[in-house]
Amino acid sequence: MRILRRLILIVVLLLALPYLLTPLYSLGHPVSALMAWRFVTGSPVERSWVDLSAMSPALPRSVVASEDASFCKHNGIDWNSLQNAIEDAQDGEVSGGGSTITQQVAKNLFLWPGRSVVRKGLEIPLAMWLDLVLTKARILEIYLNIAEMGPSGQFGAESAAKFAFGRSATNLSARDAALLAAVLPNPITRSAKTPGPGVRRLASTYQARAQAAELQKCW
């Protein structure tokens, strides 16, 4: 019985830890769980933090246009998109939709990659907590500095921009920014450095969306 109580206490503490850490992430340069794992295992990691205010304005606009057009409106969860993704899964269709930028930050900071009901169940309330505690600008800044954006350990916009274009994320053109957005969420099979026809088409779509007047800005 004592062992069981200890196990329950450990589980509760592990579940509570992300909620306790989140307020601390209003400052500093956090790393993702995947980055930490790669550090531990000796795998390559490249990441240079760049503040959101220093990035090319085209980059956050392109990423929001491609990943989460309702970013400025929702409370961490886009319930309509999530419902559509659930219905697609029930119909046997593979859907990449449903996850907001805030959910991806929750997953990247505290959880693990891959698809599972357990992870999604942990991710949803955590994303709502992130949205409550952190500003939209900070959530977007963290995302753009911890997302995997290159094929060989490049994390964040700065490392991705230097790898793909040989210049800083502060100096990206609208086309460069759209190409980086187009490789998400799979920079292993998609390349901004040598984009194929599919990536180029996606980049054109995202560039047009980012320039649209109706894209709300909250950062």
Side-chain angles (χ1 to χ4, degrees):
M1 195 66 174
R2 183 180 299 175
I3 294 175
L4 179 60
R5 285 199 297 267
R6 288 179 178 176
L7 288 175
I8 292 173
L9 179 60
I10 290 171
V11 170
V12 170
L13 290 175
L14 289 175
L15 292 175
L17 186 59
Y19 294 88
L20 298 175
L21 289 175
T22 296
L24 302 179
Y25 287 160
S26 61
L27 300 171
H29 299 166
V31 300
S32 69
L34 179 57
M35 290 170 66
W37 175 251
R38 291 178 70 94
F39 280 128
V40 169
T41 59
S43 301
V45 174
E46 297 178 29
R47 199 281 292 270
S48 297
W49 185 278
V50 58
D51 291 342
L52 186 65
S53 59
M55 294 180 190
S56 165
L59 184 57
R61 289 186 68 86
S62 293
V63 170
V64 169
S66 66
E67 295 284 284
D68 187 2
S70 299
F71 176 69
C72 292
K73 302 175 183 177
H74 60 61
N75 64 343
I77 308 297
D78 184 340
W79 296 106
N80 290 332
S81 180
L82 181 61
Q83 179 63 33
N84 291 336
I86 292 172
E87 290 175 356
D88 287 344
Q90 290 173 340
D91 292 338
E93 299 177 15
V94 177
S95 174
S99 289
T100 65
I101 285 175
T102 314
Q103 286 177 260
Q104 293 179 63
V105 170
K107 179 197 72 176
N108 290 344
L109 283 177
F110 303 117
L111 303 173
W112 60 91
R115 295 173 181 268
S116 75
V117 175
V118 173
R119 198 210 72 196
K120 187 64 69 173
L122 295 172
E123 178 186 291
I124 289 174
L126 187 51
M128 296 176 69
W129 176 245
L130 284 169
D131 189 81
L132 179 66
V133 173
L134 304 178
T135 66
K136 293 285 188 180
R138 180 58 176 172
I139 291 169
L140 187 55
E141 182 176 68
I142 292 174
Y143 179 69
L144 289 170
N145 278 284
I146 66 172
E148 188 176 14
M149 300 179 73
S152 50
Q154 289 82 20
F155 288 83
E158 183 73 0
S159 294
K162 288 182 176 177
F163 174 81
F165 311 116
R167 53 182 170 273
S168 170
T170 63
N171 299 316
L172 295 177
S173 68
R175 182 63 177 177
D176 294 338
L179 284 168
L180 285 182
V183 305
L184 295 168
N186 196 343
I188 308 301
T189 59
R190 299 179 186 177
S191 174
K193 187 173 186 178
T194 55
V199 170
R200 291 197 298 269
R201 283 194 298 270
L202 282 174
S204 296
T205 299
Y206 298 154
Q207 185 175 350
R209 288 182 187 174
Q211 293 170 345
E214 63 266 22
L215 181 65
Q216 186 178 357
K217 184 175 181 294
C218 57
W219 58 89

